[in-house]
Amino acid sequence: MSAHSPLRPTGPDAEVAELLDLALDLICVAGSDGFFKRVNNAWTDVLGYTKEELLTQPWINLVHPDDRELTISEATKVFQGYKTMRFRNRCLSKNGSYRWILWTAAAPADRQFFYATGRDITELKRDEDLLLAQYSVTRVLAEAPSLYEAAPHILKSICETLEWAVGTVWQLDKNRGLLRCVETWHIPSAKVAEFSAVTRSRTFDRGIGLPGRVWENADALWIEDVTKDNNFPRAPIALNEGLHSAFGFPILLGGEVLGVLEFFSPQIRQPDTKLLKLLSAVGSQIGQFIERTEAEAALRLYARELESAKQVAEEATKAKSEFLANMSHEIRTPMNAIVGMTELALGTPLTSEQREYLSTIKDSADALLTLINDLLDFSKIEARKFELDKRNFNLRDTLEDTVRLLAPRAHHKELELGCHIQTDLPDRVFGDPIRLRQIVINLVGNAIKFTDKGEVMLHVERRSQSEQVLDLHFFVSDTGIGIPEEKQQTIFEAFEQVDSSTTRKYGGTGLGLSISAALVKLMGGTMWVESKVRQGSRFHFTVVLELKKSEPEPFSKESRKLIDLPILVVDDNASNRRILQEILTNWQMEPTLVKSGAEALSALQDRTSTDSFALVLLDVHMPDMDGFAVAEQIRDKYQGIKSILLTSAGRPSDVARCRELGVSGYLTKPIKQSELFDAIVTAMSEHTQDLVRHESASTSMRPSSSALRILLAEDNPVNQTLASRILEKLGHNVQVVNNGKEAIEQIQAEDFDLVLMDVQMPEMDGLEATMAIRASEANTGKHIPIVAMTAHAMKGDRERCLNSGMDGYLSKPIRIEELKSAIYDVEKKQTAGQPCGQGQNSFRAIGRIEVLLDAVMGDRDLLVEMAELWLADSAKQLTLIKDGFELGDATMIQRAAHALKGSVGTFQATAAQDAAKELELSARDGDLHGMKKAFETLSNQIDFVRQDLSQLSRAPAADGGSKP
Ligand code: ADP
């Protein structure tokens, strides 16, 4: 403070002088020569110099060396007439420290000097820096993933903003009980190489050195000069490298020390409590950060563990389904023998008692197989390994065939079984027919099982349809025992049954509905039930099927002839009557419905000869007067009227009875629409007087068309015997080998028409053997058909077999029908595509000579004669077909194709026969495009047959067969 005169000065000058001296800001007049001309008392108060000291040295000496350049350029601008509004620099005070000063300055017009006012903002700047330091640490912590990555950035921001030269982060190693250096950092200008190296490699125990003391007290510590501190082990190095002041603060979490931060400065600095307080807050912030990152790391570790646990679980599931596949293989192999041997035994003469026993064995074996399949399905669904196998299929046929499969069971219990499919549903749909069938079998099967009297009906109707999808509603109704309300939900769960007592009346596993419900879900639908105890149940489900674009079905010629056909339907069951009515009306026929034989007779009587019925559809089983009795009346009284009988139980004697009664057709219920249609067409065509009997294929042991030489590769002796017995019974020659290796050797030694290859065999399995056979065929150009036989039933088996080069696939237990159709496929392929000289047959299109000769009891002349006849007749038929095309007469084409179909069959020309059949069908449907295509194939095939047959007539009679 300046000295005052005891008396208050008077006048403006004195006032200005007093103002200057009392002002708290630094005020000065600086000359263009670089010296102050005048300074006020504040200069002495703030910086500690005397006025003398200030006025006798260039003012730039007071400015921090780093700020001088900027200060000079600012002063120059002021001399040029600019005004300084806000300019900061650091000025040296007498005690060696620097003060931050904020300046305003302006020069008068003559610019010989300038006036400047400065305010000491050191404290303000310090607060700002502290905040800035805290802010930058916060930012680092927000972005860094771990303390290791955050540490260098934290140290740098604190050192730079608060002007400390060196900083270190220490972390507590809880296991060893010591502090370890995480990171040390220094400003580039600091020469602290040794101090940094030693710090990096050191650890500190509790209470030792700066970090150890911070840890022990869990509190910040300030040391004015470490070189003079007696608990600072790094003191000699600090002295060497010129470090003096230091402070440290703890990284705290809930009062617990996790680490320590320390900073060093080359200056000696007074303890700064504000700084310590603020940085302690930063320490807690870092503590929370460590906690968070550790939690995140733990979470990541947990996620990794979870991932590997998931993998283990998946492998276990895979192992489980493999185990199931193997188990099912193990169970199926003996089952194979049981089912097959029983089928064989049933084909031999038996007493009725023996037949009953064997039938029971077969039924039980079939039930066991169903159970195994169910378990396999269930485990696949459980393991979410279940996929639908989608393809195009005929909806109506599939459903009707499925229901028909269950007919014997229903008829055995004297139940009516029917199938009511909304008539205008599209036939061709895209979905998984096998699984749809499985659902229907389960529901209809259950309905039959739980119903003792009355009827079981499958209804199918459209919920909605777009161009791409068809949403269907199915329901199966029965008049059975019903399900109590409280059980109606649980039965859809696995192994749940209404009656779970051991003494229950109905068999089953309780798996069917849960599998069906899961399948329905896979098909985009839901399943539910409505039921009343002792009244019956309705199981509903919906599924979504895809619609793939296909040609609209042409309205067939045959049906055009049948439009308005008056038909009398006689059936006592109302549901059946309704179904028939809907079907017939849909075909634009004119059905009249009655419910008994008596009503039928009076309806017939009511009509005059001009408007009489053309056809009567007659249910066989009716109370009072059965179908046969009505048919008899019709035969006797109404000779022009055709009749078709519908029966539930196809007894052999029925056929004879029908023949006797002059019945035109005989159909087994549930009726398939396509068969009913064919039966009506046949009945109504004038030429066909023969009785047509439509029924599903039986498993009779008729030999198949030609004897093949078959190699059977199978390791299980029971299966060997079984398969060879079946094959021999079918009229083939069988050679048996035990494994893939033997199969290869045998094929090299002999020619075979077909190989049946077990997949699992010792030494060399079927897949490997097949690949080896295919590889060797690459040189010879041959291709021997190989059909897999496997007890594996897992998805992908089939693909694996086909990929290895097999041509077909049979799953064990081998069923006679499946085996026959596999063999038939092979025969068909052989006769269709086999060039001359391949295999045993020197003919391209017709069957093997031995077989053809067999059919005429070895009479070669007769065969040649037949061939000649055929050559003449086929030419005639081909001409008729061509004429038919010219005249646009499809019926003509159909007839000729039909004739050809029959006649080429004599020579086992299957490809030609198929083509003729195709032509016949497309002609029947009026499908011109199909007709043309089929005719082209047919002409080619007929050419081949002709070539073969002319070769046959030329061939020497003794040859008896031709080996190339
Ligand atoms: P399963 O028939 O093998 O026992 P499902 O899962 O197919 O197994 O059926 C579970 C149970 O639901 C049956 O045991 C039966 O109690 C009941 N149930 C199913 N369908 C019917 C039905 N149509 N009428 C009465 N009860 C039925």
Side-chain angles (χ1 to χ4, degrees), residues 338-387:
I338 298 173
V339 172
M341 285 293 185
T342 314
E343 273 189 359
L344 281 177
L346 280 167
T348 61
L350 296 169
T351 65
S352 61
E353 203 179 10
Q354 286 167 335
R355 181 167 299 283
E356 194 188 320
Y357 295 162
L358 285 170
S359 303
T360 312
I361 295 179
K362 193 168 165 292
D363 289 349
S364 313
D366 283 342
L368 206 53
L369 266 177
T370 315
L371 174 62
I372 295 168
N373 288 337
D374 274 2
L375 280 171
L376 204 64
D377 274 358
F378 180 68
S379 74
K380 277 192 276 184
I381 290 175
E382 278 260 275
R384 300 192 204 295
K385 282 279 155 59
F386 204 93
E387 276 170 37

Side-chain angles (χ1 to χ4, degrees), residues 944-963:
F944 296 148
V945 178
R946 283 166 166 274
Q947 283 162 21
D948 285 352
L949 289 182
S950 36
Q951 191 187 342
L952 173 71
S953 41
R954 282 194 306 273
D959 179 49
S962 38
K963 225 177 168 165

